[in-house]
Amino acid sequence: MAALWKAVAGVLLAALGLALLGRPAEAQGNGRDKKQVSGDSAMFLGQEREAWRPLVATTVNLSDINSIKSSFQLQTFDPEGVIFYGDTKGGADWFVLSLKDGVPLMQIYRAGIYVSVAGGTKLSDGKWHTLEVSNQGDFVILEMDGSDKLVVGMHPAEPEKVLAGELRLALGGVLINPELMVVPVGPRFDACLRQGSWLNLSTPWETDAEELWPCYQRLEPGSYFSGAGFAIFNISVFHIDAHRGMKVELFGDFSKMDGTILSIKAPGQE
């Protein structure tokens, strides 16, 4: 039993002793009860808020766009969640990029047609991955790490009018009823996004948060928990010294917590 506790302690120290990277993204007021942040800021998409509410969002005039291309880097162990959302016509046509079972999933509604496609590299491995989303004619292309591609083609039966008006973009949530998505996706996403370049625009993003939480400097197996309230570790993968004791250290702000912080139990034991 002592060996079990020691093994669990080692994993907990690795998972909970992560240092935060730098300072949060600076936020400035805009007079509308929202803060402005730069689109290339490092953003922790799992920051606490309403389930489907985007972490940051922005609105731009379509006439200001000269490149239908966005790129960013993503890091996560979480296999499911919303990354990037965009729409025109006030949400009448929309696009959602998410992860599902660890692989990218694109869902699009345009001209009365729903389309979804999933595949490519599994991105929930804790490594940084570079993603680029572009529109080329009737095709939407997702490129992963410069090689793997996911392509969606939509060919309307009749030529569409030249788009005018506004384009809305959002990260970590959607601006439509989530029930409209063809493939259901969980809204919470424990992931970090950085080095965003959005349509080659310098337009600031807006957020309701006072400041954006920074990303983890080191991300290791055990850093992500599904939200089920527990994690299970197999002690056979650890090198164990049965004669040493166990030490568990928890780092954080517990001033607002009310309840159990940690409990440890072996299978078959009360």
Side-chain angles (χ1 to χ4, degrees):
M1 184 63 71
L4 168 66
W5 302 147
K6 185 178 186 305
V8 173
V11 176
L12 288 171
L13 288 172
L16 299 174
L18 300 175
L20 292 178
L21 173 63
R23 55 188 174 88
E26 294 183 357
Q28 300 177 347
N30 61 6
R32 299 193 302 273
D33 296 326
K34 290 182 180 293
K35 304 293 183 178
Q36 292 186 335
V37 297
S38 173
D40 61 0
S41 301
M43 306 178 192
F44 175 57
L45 299 184
Q47 186 162 339
E48 197 67 32
R49 60 193 183 281
E50 295 178 20
W52 288 99
R53 191 176 188 86
L55 177 62
V56 296
T58 189
T59 301
V60 298
N61 291 321
L62 287 166
S63 59
D64 295 335
I65 299 174
N66 54 29
S67 174
I68 308 298
K69 179 185 297 184
S70 296
S71 63
F72 53 90
Q73 291 188 340
L74 180 76
Q75 181 190 48
T76 186
F77 276 111
D78 191 344
E80 183 170 333
V82 175
I83 305 171
F84 175 41
Y85 168 91
D87 72 27
T88 57
K89 305 176 185 176
D93 291 346
W94 49 264
F95 165 88
V96 180
L97 172 64
S98 60
L99 287 194
K100 184 77 172 181
D101 297 324
V103 300
L105 166 67
M106 290 196 292
Q107 301 189 66
I108 305 171
Y109 179 78
R110 175 185 169 195
I113 302 174
Y114 290 94
V115 175
S116 67
V117 60
T121 305
K122 192 165 186 175
L123 303 180
S124 57
D125 58 2
K127 300 178 181 179
W128 283 107
H129 294 278
T130 300
L131 283 73
E132 180 181 281
V133 183
S134 62
N135 183 274
Q136 300 179 18
D138 292 330
F139 295 91
V140 178
I141 301 172
L142 172 65
E143 186 171 311
M144 294 154 277
D145 295 322
S147 57
D148 203 2
K149 289 186 178 181
L150 196 59
V151 181
V152 179
M154 301 186 70
H155 309 278
E158 298 180 1
E160 292 186 303
K161 297 180 180 179
V162 176
L163 281 177
E166 295 181 329
L167 170 69
R168 300 189 298 177
L169 302 174
L171 302 178
V174 299
L175 300 173
I176 55 170
N177 184 340
E179 295 181 359
L180 293 175
M181 289 189 287
V182 179
V183 181
V185 177
R188 300 295 188 189
F189 195 32
D190 188 347
C192 186
L193 187 150
R194 70 181 184 185
Q195 298 182 14
S197 175
W198 311 101
L199 307 174
N200 288 335
L201 297 172
S202 58
T203 305
W205 295 69
E206 294 185 342
T207 180
D208 294 326
E210 287 296 323
E211 63 180 14
L212 298 184
W213 294 0
C215 298
Y216 289 110
Q217 185 176 14
R218 300 196 330 270
L219 199 63
E220 302 174 1
S223 303
Y224 164 70
F225 294 88
S226 66
F230 64 90
I232 299 174
F233 301 102
N234 185 345
I235 64 172
S236 64
V237 300
F238 303 113
H239 298 289
I240 299 171
D241 182 350
H243 299 290
R244 298 183 62 184
M246 180 191 75
K247 180 179 181 181
V248 176
E249 292 181 305
L250 304 179
F251 300 93
D253 179 7
F254 304 113
S255 61
K256 297 182 180 180
M257 292 188 65
D258 182 9
T260 301
I261 296 177
L262 170 70
S263 63
I264 302 175
K265 173 179 171 294
Q269 302 292 324
E270 294 297 332

